[in-house]
Amino acid sequence: MGYVTTDDGTRIFYKDWGSGRPVVLSHGWPLNADSWDAQALFLASRGYRVVAHDRRGHGRSDQTWHGNEMDTYADDLAAVLDALDLREATLVGFSTGGGEVVRYVGRHGTDRVAQVVLVSAVPPFMLRTDDNPGGVPVEVFDGIRAGSLADRSQLYQDLADGPFFGNNRPGADVSQSIRDAFWLQGMQSGHRNAYECVAAFSATDFRADLDAVDVPALVIHGDDDQVVPFDVGGKASADRIKGATLTVYPGAPHGITDTHKEQLGDDLLAFLRSHDSDRAPTEENR
C-alpha cells in the first residue's frame, strides 16, 4: 500500500497486491478500493499484480475541494499507472469506476492497456437528455443529492438495504455485514466529494470515450440492476465498443462484486487468461 501524488498535489491511496501482469481496479460511488477486496484477493492469488486505488475524495485519498469530475478522476488514474509504470494492464471499472476507465482511454489512450472490463458501469451516458432519451431522469439524481444533504448516513444505509444489492427484491439474502460495509465505505468519503461525484457519474457523456476503446473489452452487467439499468449501461456500452463481449448475469443487481463475487472472479480470470494465452512466454508470466 502507498500513495501517489498527482500534479496538483493530491495524494491518491492505492493497494498493490501480488505479482505478474497488472490488473487495475477502479471502484464505484461512494465506495473505495476495499469494495474490490474479494476480486483483488482472488486474482492476486492466481498470478496477477492487482492495483486498486481510492478515488480522490474517497476512502484514504485526499478530500480535495476541486477536481471532483471525470477528467480529473481519469488523470488521477493515469498518475497511478505512470508512477507504478504499469504496462499491458487490464483496467476494470465498476459503476462510476467504469466511467473513470473509459475516460482514461479517451484522454490517455491504450499504450499501457491490454484489456478493458466494465462491470455494472455507468457508460455510455446515464442522464436522460434530448439526444439520450432512454437515460435516467434527472429527478433520480436530484433525489440522491437531496438525500446526501439531508442525511447522507441514512442515504447510504437505504441504498445498501435496497436497490444497490437488490435487497428489496423477493427472496433476496444479502447479509447485514455486506450492507454495513457499503455504509462504512460511503461514510469514509468526503461529503462534498461524494455529492459532486453524483454529477460526475450521471451527467458525463462517455460515448466518444467508448469509441476510442481499441483493445479487447468485456462488459458484465446484471439484468436486474436498479442503479444503472441494463439497457442504459451494459447493453448500450457493449453495442458501442467495437468487438466487445457482453456477459449478462440473469436477475443480478448492481452490486455484483459482492452478490456474485465467485462468478465475477471466474469471468475476470477467464478474460485475463484469454490475453495471456496469446502472449509469448516470458519470465514474468511463466
Side-chain angles (χ1 to χ4, degrees):
M1 297 188 291
Y3 286 87
V4 168
T5 302
T6 67
D7 289 343
D8 69 355
T10 301
R11 295 188 315 149
I12 302 296
F13 171 87
Y14 69 92
K15 301 181 183 184
D16 190 350
W17 293 358
S19 60
R21 191 168 69 78
V23 182
V24 181
L25 306 175
S26 293
H27 63 81
W29 173 93
L31 306 173
N32 60 52
D34 294 352
S35 64
W36 280 117
D37 272 0
Q39 290 74 38
L41 179 61
F42 179 82
L43 297 174
S45 300
R46 286 160 177 79
Y48 293 92
R49 179 183 180 183
V50 180
V51 174
H53 70 293
D54 290 354
R55 184 173 303 115
R56 70 170 55 207
H58 296 70
R60 291 138 291 200
S61 291
D62 286 348
Q63 295 185 8
T64 60
W65 188 255
H66 58 279
N68 303 295
E69 33 72 30
M70 279 293 167
D71 285 355
T72 300
Y73 295 160
D75 293 349
D76 290 347
L77 176 58
V80 173
L81 267 69
D82 291 347
L84 301 181
D85 195 23
L86 302 181
R87 299 180 184 277
E88 209 169 359
T90 295
L91 305 185
V92 186
F94 168 75
S95 195
T96 299
E100 187 176 288
V101 163
V102 299
R103 180 52 53 93
Y104 170 89
V105 171
R107 287 175 67 82
H108 299 277
T110 53
D111 286 350
R112 293 184 179 274
V113 180
Q115 299 171 301
V116 167
V117 184
L118 302 180
V119 180
S120 306
V122 297
F125 186 18
M126 283 196 73
L127 185 65
R128 179 179 296 173
T129 61
D130 289 344
D131 72 339
N132 190 41
V136 179
V138 69
E139 289 79 8
V140 172
F141 306 111
D142 286 344
I144 296 173
R145 281 185 277 260
S148 177
L149 293 177
D151 186 345
R152 74 184 191 114
S153 178
Q154 188 61 53
L155 170 69
Y156 299 153
Q157 194 71 66
D158 290 344
L159 288 171
D161 288 346
F164 193 90
F165 298 113
N167 204 45
N168 55 345
R169 296 304 201 204
D173 185 21
V174 183
S175 75
Q176 186 65 52
S177 296
I178 287 176
R179 289 178 276 151
D180 288 348
F182 179 98
W183 174 87
L184 178 61
Q185 290 178 41
M187 293 306 295
Q188 290 175 327
S189 65
H191 193 174
R192 173 181 167 84
N193 307 102
Y195 181 87
E196 294 291 314
C197 190
V198 176
F201 73 68
S202 66
T204 302
D205 185 346
F206 299 101
R207 288 175 286 192
D209 303 302
L210 293 174
D211 293 342
V213 174
D214 59 359
V215 295
L218 172 64
V219 179
I220 300 174
H221 215 108
D223 65 8
D224 193 29
D225 189 331
Q226 302 171 73
V227 177
V228 182
F230 172 69
D231 287 338
V232 174
K235 184 178 185 304
S237 286
D239 287 344
R240 190 147 191 130
I241 301 173
K242 186 177 181 180
T245 298
L246 174 62
T247 298
V248 181
Y249 288 7
H254 188 65
I256 57 177
T257 50
D258 283 299
T259 61
H260 292 65
K261 61 183 181 181
E262 291 86 3
Q263 184 178 357
L264 180 58
D266 289 342
D267 286 337
L268 291 175
L269 183 62
F271 187 61
L272 290 164
R273 287 178 172 170
S274 72
H275 173 75
D276 298 334
S277 65
D278 294 334
R279 302 168 67 208
T282 66
E283 289 299 327
E284 184 180 68
N285 65 10
R286 276 175 185 154

